[in-house]
Amino acid sequence: MRNSVNAYSATVGGNPLLVQGAGGNVSWKEGNALWIKASGTWLADAESSDIFVPVDLSSLQKGIASRNFNVKPATLCNTSLRPSIETLLHAVMPHRVVAHLHAIDVLAWVVRRSFADEVATRLAGVCEWTWVDYSKPGPELAHAVHRELAIRPESNIVLLGNHGIIAGADSTEDLSRLYERVLFALKCPEIVPMAAESHPAVPPWILATGYRTEYDPDIAALAYNALLLDRLQRDWALYPDHVVFLGEQPAIHNAHRDHESVPALSEQYGYMIVPHIGVFTRPDFNKNQRAMLKCFSQLARRLPADIHPRTLCRRDIGELLNWDAERYRQSIAR
């Protein structure tokens, strides 16, 4: 089982349309062990690194049975790695193999206010599915999914509002086929075209900061496309990982503020978006952050201009940014 899980994890983890950076997770159950990806690790590394941690499944199941969704996963080996924030979410899924993805096509649906109604016809006959509204990752999300599965125990797909999707099956082969059908049904084409990049001369004040130009077309488009710029300013906080790695607001800087210091948000997160000039990053802007910025661009291009998605509220954002578990993931990324 482990070899097939490693291969499957590396495949989905290497596809940025399915998983970005350290996001997403895969697990499998074997006897009394729930093997789960360690917090802060990348699924893409599954075949080259030891990224899975075994935890005591029976203790988690006892906690769930007694409605204790704050039960702590107990590791079954000596390791410096921490089990994923979403360990309990995988434990409430009854399937042998479970995969939680942040697929961009799915995100383009689950950020919408009435996404369940919109996808119902698309998923009819494709799978047994259900959905939950946004809940804070960890115990709250696991509790919400557990409640929903108690009502619809036949579900092998759960859509997670403003978060992603989780699916379960008996094998990685079955799981792969299930996801293939679901992602085909929820395919969301790019509506906002990529803007032509003019690459104007970089103002001297930017050169003086030590920031460098980002040439990735998905990331650069955030500075050149009017619709994407509007989406940045209006609908920034769409899903947890985006906020955790890029902050509660976009780091947008006015190109006409010559010789002013770079704003605090840019300094904190290591990037700045200068409308119609470009996107600029510091050398320490890490690969998790770059993956999240690219993901936002790809997601925003799949949202029609007249769609006003649900964004995470100030309380949601505060719970994420002041959470030790997410600070730990940030430290691993750095």
Side-chain angles (χ1 to χ4, degrees):
M1 173 62 75
R2 178 159 193 158
N3 288 340
S4 66
V5 171
N6 283 347
Y8 176 75
S9 300
T11 298
V12 297
N15 184 346
L17 293 177
L18 301 179
V19 173
Q20 304 79 38
N25 211 317
V26 175
S27 71
W28 78 96
K29 301 175 181 74
E30 194 169 64
N32 185 46
L34 169 66
W35 289 83
I36 187 84
K37 182 180 76 94
S39 182
T41 60
W42 289 47
L43 284 173
D45 297 332
E47 291 189 302
S48 59
S49 301
D50 192 6
I51 66 169
F52 291 101
V53 178
V55 300
D56 187 330
L57 179 59
S58 63
S59 66
L60 295 179
Q61 292 173 331
K62 288 177 183 176
I64 293 167
S66 62
R67 301 298 191 270
N68 175 18
F69 290 90
N70 289 305
V71 60
K72 302 296 183 184
T75 56
L76 297 176
C77 67
N78 292 322
T79 177
S80 60
L81 298 174
R82 292 187 188 182
S84 167
I85 292 168
E86 302 292 14
T87 298
L88 203 61
L89 175 63
H90 286 247
V92 304
M93 296 288 287
H95 313 85
R96 188 182 182 198
V97 187
V98 175
H100 165 44
L101 307 182
H102 299 161
I104 289 175
D105 283 330
V106 174
L107 284 170
W109 292 107
V110 299
V111 299
R112 305 184 193 202
R113 298 178 187 275
S114 57
F115 72 87
D117 294 336
E118 295 186 60
V119 304
T121 55
R122 289 173 172 261
L123 291 179
V126 174
C127 62
E128 298 294 338
W129 70 283
T130 189
W131 64 279
V132 295
D133 273 327
Y134 175 79
S135 295
K136 179 185 174 183
E140 291 181 21
L141 179 57
H143 192 186
V145 170
H146 181 263
R147 285 197 306 267
E148 190 58 30
L149 289 178
I151 300 169
R152 295 178 176 82
E154 72 284 358
S155 301
N156 52 12
I157 289 284
V158 185
L159 299 180
L160 312 173
N162 287 87
H163 192 142
I165 182 173
I166 189 165
D170 289 333
S171 67
T172 54
E173 292 79 13
D174 289 343
L175 188 62
S176 180
R177 285 191 288 267
L178 173 62
Y179 259 125
E180 185 177 354
R181 296 195 305 271
V182 170
L183 293 173
F184 181 80
L186 296 181
K187 183 68 177 174
C188 212
E190 293 185 10
I191 298 168
V192 180
M194 290 284 283
E197 300 170 32
S198 56
H199 294 303
V202 179
W205 68 266
I206 295 179
L207 295 174
T209 65
Y211 282 63
R212 57 194 180 192
T213 303
E214 276 290 333
Y215 291 106
D216 182 294
D218 288 309
I219 295 176
L222 294 171
Y224 296 110
N225 188 294
L227 292 174
L228 297 185
L229 278 167
D230 180 63
R231 188 71 72 185
L232 275 170
Q233 297 175 82
R234 190 183 66 192
D235 303 317
W236 173 253
L238 289 173
Y239 45 96
D241 276 8
H242 182 73
V243 171
V244 168
F245 289 103
L246 294 176
E248 61 184 316
Q249 301 172 40
I252 299 175
H253 195 54
N254 191 323
H256 300 295
R257 295 176 183 171
D258 292 355
H259 311 302
E260 288 188 11
S261 61
V262 175
L265 193 63
S266 298
E267 286 291 342
Q268 181 179 358
Y269 291 99
Y271 78 97
M272 60 179 169
I273 299 167
V274 185
H276 313 298
I277 299 295
V279 180
F280 303 91
T281 57
R282 281 203 315 252
D284 61 346
F285 188 68
N286 65 58
K287 60 182 182 177
N288 267 296
Q289 293 172 304
R290 181 169 283 103
M292 297 308 158
L293 205 53
K294 186 179 179 76
C295 175
F296 184 90
S297 175
Q298 293 172 328
L299 168 57
R301 293 206 306 277
R302 287 166 169 79
L303 293 176
D306 61 347
I307 290 291
H308 299 285
R310 179 196 186 276
T311 56
L312 304 188
C313 67
R314 189 176 297 275
R315 176 186 172 186
D316 297 331
I317 294 169
E319 287 178 340
L320 292 169
L321 295 182
N322 296 310
W323 189 17
D324 286 343
E326 290 292 19
R327 288 174 176 169
Y328 172 79
R329 278 211 305 161
Q330 290 173 324
S331 71
I332 295 294
R334 286 193 292 270

